[in-house]
């Protein structure tokens, strides 16, 4: 029996009332392979179990025969344990895995677990001593409540181009789950600092760290084709507990729970402090709790409103209270909800509503439709916000990115590149995305999404700024692929009350900073982010900057002044929740200047950071470029343009649903590459014109000399 799932009014999130569903954007293939007490076995590419790394599978999962035995073959599987055998339990479960040793590489087993992150992990090193081997694993505190992909419970992943050949599976319960016998009711109400009812992110944990499954009074949220009332907050999500199973509620939540004392945690984005308290549930009684959230900072009071550049879920209608509650609970004021296309199809469709008809606005929080398309790992992923109509290119013109940028610009939309505008090429060192190299010199790129997945990747942005291109930074969570909405965000200063149109206009003007925690203020001689300051040679600039960080999220480490991509000044943490930097700079040339703040949490995928858009300081008529770097950057980008004229599509094809489009992408690139020659040559000519202008400035030309030409027009 289930501890919670059998209780009246408690559900798993599956079987919730019907709502919008998109085409499954994950690889999911049900395999014809049966084992006792396992309802379904699926090949997939992601499990949504923290620690089980997502893959872009090269091996399409299937059933093969090995020595007369039917075996699973693939890189990634998920198992859906029959709910009649085990659902929402809390006990050790034994899992026996028999595998063929000659093909199977080291693999990971993850399972839906009680407490902590909600995930247990075993690493399996194959035993190569015999033709077949059996690994016997204990799944500690197994929950098996259907919280992984399409209601599955256990995942197997062979990372690093590995593979598995699994020839038998046996699952055995210990039957040690203790069923509760006494229950009470909890009623929760969430209010902001003004006493207004609001949505919130909620955690509720018993003494063992177990989070009772949220029922249907919580928001039912989309994660690909899954409807979920509960999910895990990953380690990039600020959360003041080791227990990280959460749910979302709009204003109120009510549930019947086993008696006991529960830890209650409520959050509402980075401007609010966490509410932490204990709630005691007594037999047949109602515990009625009103949670009044307390602010750490009030950015809207100063005219700053947050946005997330990159969110995906399907909407049948513009009015979607559950989706709105999801983003409002994280205090995101503008959620750019994007249809997502590849060369074959479109996912996460927005129900045909565009422009102002697509907006769903309540209490100064808005959902606005946009698109992520065209989108290839080869040319990059593009984002188009606040558009009047979508434009998803046909397969035979899919690499003509400029056509979409032109159309969106004509519509008054805002266009840019997702995923930091930065990508590796076939295992080589990262270089700027091809599409960004092609379109930036033509004035078509408004922004680059440089903050995502717990890190700022600013190299491409800095290079383009150092050529004088005024491109804005953006931050996008890419839910449901990477993070919960709002874990990264960019603030925009509209200079007054909330208004969607003013927000986008102010963003186009560059009045923005990106962050996953620190809050920035920055001005030079009174000019703020995105503004231009014109001064005479030899002028002294008065720089004023401030970073603040809610200490419940992290501690500040330092605040840096960035000039032309280099750190010019640094102010260290002084033991408080803020760092100020007031300094003077004497200038004799044009430059862009920005500020960047770091917290103490920092590693390759999980850094607390914020970065402002620049203030552009103009001396005379010189562009805000980095003089000494211009020839080198131009040579690099012209070289990439030249390579585009001859290079094949990279192998292997990764990303962008390769299981369905890897062949067509390679074929279409070869067909369309000659058609892009005029655009490639136009972009190269634009870089050359910039270099020619650079050569007219003696101080720059005296320092660096170069002989650069556009790409050859020959094949």
């Amino acid at each position: 029996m289930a501890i919670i799932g059998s209780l009246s009014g408690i559900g798993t999130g599956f079987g919730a009332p019907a709502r919008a569903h998109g085409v499954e954007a994950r690889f999911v293939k049900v395999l014809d392979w049966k084992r006792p007490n396992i309802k379904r076995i699926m090949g997939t590419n992601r499990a949504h179990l923290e620690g089980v790394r997502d893959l872009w599978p090269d091996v399409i999962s299937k059933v093969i025969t090995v020595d007369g035995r039917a075996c699973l073959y693939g890189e990634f599987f998920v198992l859906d344990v029959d709910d009649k055998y085990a659902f929402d339990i809390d006990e050790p479960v034994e899992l026996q895995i028999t595998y063929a040793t000659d093909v199977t590489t080291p693999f990971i087993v993850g399972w839906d677990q009680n407490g902590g992150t909600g995930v247990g992990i075993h690493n399996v090193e194959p035993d190569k001593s015999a033709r077949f081997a059996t690994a016997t694993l204990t799944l500690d505190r197994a929950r098996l409540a259907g919280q992984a992909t399409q209601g599955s419970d256990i995942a197997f992943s062979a990372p690093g181009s590995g593979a598995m050949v699994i020839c038998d599976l046996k699952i055995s319960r210990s039957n040690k789950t203790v069923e509760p016998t006494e229950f009470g009711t909890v009623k929760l109400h969430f209010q902001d600092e003004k006493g207004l009812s609001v949505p919130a992110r909620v955690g509720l944990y018993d003494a063992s760290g177990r989070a009772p499954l949220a029922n249907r009074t919580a928001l039912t949220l989309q994660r690909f084709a899954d409807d979920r009332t509960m999910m895990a907050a990953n380690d990039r999500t600020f959360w003041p507990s080791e227990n990280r199973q959460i749910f979302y509620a709009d204003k109120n939540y009510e549930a019947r729970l086993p008696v006991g004392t529960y830890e209650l945690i409520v959050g509402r984005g980075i401007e609010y402090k966490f509410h932490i308290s204990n709630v005691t549930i007594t037999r047949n009684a109602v515990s009625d709790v009103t949670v009044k959230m307390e602010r750490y900072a009030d950015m809207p009071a100063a005219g700053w409103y947050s946005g997330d550049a990159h969110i995906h879920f399907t909407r049948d209608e513009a009015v979607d209270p559950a989706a709105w509650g999801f983003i409002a609970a994280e205090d995101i004021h503008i959620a750019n909800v994007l249809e997502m296309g590849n060369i074959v199809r479109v996912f996460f469709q927005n129900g045909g509503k565009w422009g102002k008809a697509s907006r769903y606005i309540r209490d100064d929080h808005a959902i606005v439709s946009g698109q992520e398309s065209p989108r290839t790992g080869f040319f990059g992923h593009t984002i188009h916000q606040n558009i009047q109509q979508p434009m998803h290119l046909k397969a035979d013109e899919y690499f003509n990115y400029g056509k979409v940028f032109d159309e969106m610009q004509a519509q008054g939309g805002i266009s840019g590149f997702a995923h930091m505008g930065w990508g590796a090429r076939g295992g080589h060192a990262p270089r700027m995305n091809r599409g960004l190299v092609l379109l930036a010199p033509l004035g078509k790129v408004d922004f680059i999404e440089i903050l995502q997945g717990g890190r700022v990747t600013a190299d491409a942005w800095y290079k383009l700024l150092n050529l004088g291109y005024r491109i804005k930074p953006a931050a996008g969570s890419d839910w449901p692929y990477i993070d919960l909405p709002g874990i990264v965000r960019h603030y925009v200063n509209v200079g007054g009350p909330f208004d969607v149109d003013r927000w986008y206009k102010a963003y186009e003007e560059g009045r923005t900073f990106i962050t996953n925690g620190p809050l920035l203020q920055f001005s030079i001689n009174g000019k703020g982010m995105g503004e231009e300051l014109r001064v005479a040679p030899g002028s002294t600039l008065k720089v004023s900057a401030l970073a603040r960080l809610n200490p419940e999220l992290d501690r500040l480490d330092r605040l840096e002044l960035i000039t032309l991509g280099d750190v010019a000044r640094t102010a260290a943490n002084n033991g408080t929740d803020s760092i100020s930097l007031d300094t003077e700079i004497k200038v004799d040339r044009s430059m862009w200047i920005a500020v960047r703040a770091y917290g103490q949490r920092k590693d390759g995928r999980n850094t607390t950071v914020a970065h402002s858009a620049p203030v552009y300081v103009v001396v005379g008529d010189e562009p805000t470029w980095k003089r000494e770097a211009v020839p080198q950057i131009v040579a690099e980008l012209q070289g990439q343009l030249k390579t585009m004229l001859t290079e094949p599509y990279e192998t292997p094809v990764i990303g962008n649903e390769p299981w369905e489009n890897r062949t067509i992408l390679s074929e279409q690139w070869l067909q369309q590459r000659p058609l892009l020659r005029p655009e490639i040559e136009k972009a190269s000519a634009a870089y050359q014109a910039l270099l020619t202008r650079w050569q007219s400035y003696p101080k720059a030309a005296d320092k660096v000399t170069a002989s650069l030409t556009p790409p050859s027009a020959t094949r």
Side-chain angles (χ1 to χ4, degrees), residues 291-452:
V291 175
K292 189 168 184 178
M293 304 299 293
E294 182 182 350
R295 277 192 178 272
Y296 166 76
D298 190 349
M299 297 297 286
W304 290 91
Y305 294 89
S306 60
D308 188 325
H310 193 162
I311 298 171
H312 300 292
F313 46 71
T314 302
R315 288 193 293 166
D316 285 339
E317 300 291 340
V319 177
D320 190 331
W324 178 90
F326 195 12
I327 64 102
E330 296 291 353
D331 198 29
I332 290 295
H333 293 274
I334 297 283
N336 291 284
V337 177
L338 311 177
E339 284 194 348
M340 186 187 83
N342 65 25
I343 198 169
V344 174
R345 68 177 81 187
V346 176
F347 305 95
F348 305 112
Q349 292 177 323
N350 274 340
K353 298 293 180 66
W354 296 92
K356 291 188 177 182
S358 79
R359 299 175 182 177
Y360 180 35
I361 308 171
R362 284 172 49 194
D363 303 332
D364 290 351
H365 296 80
I367 295 172
V368 183
S369 290
Q371 72 177 58
E372 183 184 3
S373 181
R375 169 180 166 271
T376 66
F378 191 66
F379 250 47
H381 293 202
T382 70
I383 290 177
H384 308 276
Q385 301 172 350
N386 197 32
I387 61 180
Q388 304 306 309
Q389 288 291 332
M391 185 181 193
H392 298 292
L393 295 175
K394 296 178 181 179
D396 61 2
E397 59 175 352
Y398 199 73
F399 290 94
N400 189 0
Y401 279 30
K403 183 176 181 179
V404 178
F405 277 73
D406 288 343
E407 171 61 25
M408 297 310 165
Q409 189 174 49
Q411 291 185 18
I414 302 173
S415 297
F417 279 81
H419 312 306
M420 298 148 278
W422 195 255
R425 309 281 178 84
H428 300 293
R431 295 188 291 172
M432 202 181 300
N433 281 340
R434 293 167 177 83
L436 184 56
V437 174
L438 180 63
L439 298 180
L442 304 179
K444 298 182 181 183
V445 179
D446 295 310
F447 65 85
I448 307 174
E449 187 180 71
I450 67 167
L451 175 58
Q452 191 171 79

Side-chain angles (χ1 to χ4, degrees), residues 436-444 464 467-469 623 625 630 633-635 637-638 641 677-695 708-711:
L436 184 56
V437 174
L438 180 63
L439 298 180
L442 304 179
K444 298 182 181 183
L464 294 173
L467 291 182
Y469 301 128
W625 54 26
V630 168
I633 298 171
V634 168
L637 301 187
Q638 285 188 322
L641 290 171
R677 178 180 298 275
E679 287 295 299
I680 291 171
E681 292 177 345
K682 188 187 299 183
S684 185
Y687 287 124
Q688 190 66 27
L690 187 151
L691 184 65
T692 299
R693 185 179 183 189
W694 172 86
Q695 290 169 335
L708 301 171
T709 58

Side-chain angles (χ1 to χ4, degrees), residues 529-544:
M529 302 172 201
E531 294 190 273
E532 180 179 279
L533 173 65
R534 289 187 170 270
V535 297
S539 295
T540 298
L541 308 179
K542 292 186 177 181
V543 178
S544 178

